[in-house]
Amino acid sequence: MRIDAGLDTGDILLQREVAIGPEDTAETLGPKLASTGADLMIETLRGIETGQVRPTPQDHARATLAPILKKKMAA
């Protein structure tokens, strides 16, 4: 995502979906997301360099604000 003046409002460069199973936890998702994110970063940078990546504006009508997580919310 490109950075702009808003909070997470910049254009999307590339994105991937990652399946989250019912057994997944933060501990199991962390490595999946890190690996996917690293691969996507390389693909994005190469795409920018070759001109194959085109920024896509976000649909701000579908945006939601996630609440700040607090310790008491943990199970």
Side-chain angles (χ1 to χ4, degrees):
M1 177 188 326
R2 285 193 166 166
I3 297 175
D4 68 4
L7 177 62
D8 295 336
T9 57
D11 292 346
I12 297 169
L13 297 173
L14 285 180
Q15 62 185 8
R16 292 284 178 277
E17 289 188 16
V18 175
I20 300 175
E23 70 287 349
D24 276 319
T25 64
E27 190 173 338
T28 63
L29 278 175
K32 282 190 216 179
L33 295 175
S35 177
T36 300
D39 292 341
L40 192 57
M41 177 63 77
I42 292 168
E43 185 180 344
T44 302
L45 293 172
R46 287 183 177 151
I48 289 170
E49 184 176 57
T50 63
Q52 293 178 320
V53 168
R54 306 266 189 252
T56 305
Q58 294 190 54
D59 180 356
H60 300 294
R62 297 183 62 202
T64 58
L65 185 60
I68 293 175
L69 298 177
K70 297 181 180 166
K71 190 172 186 174
K72 66 182 179 182
M73 296 173 164

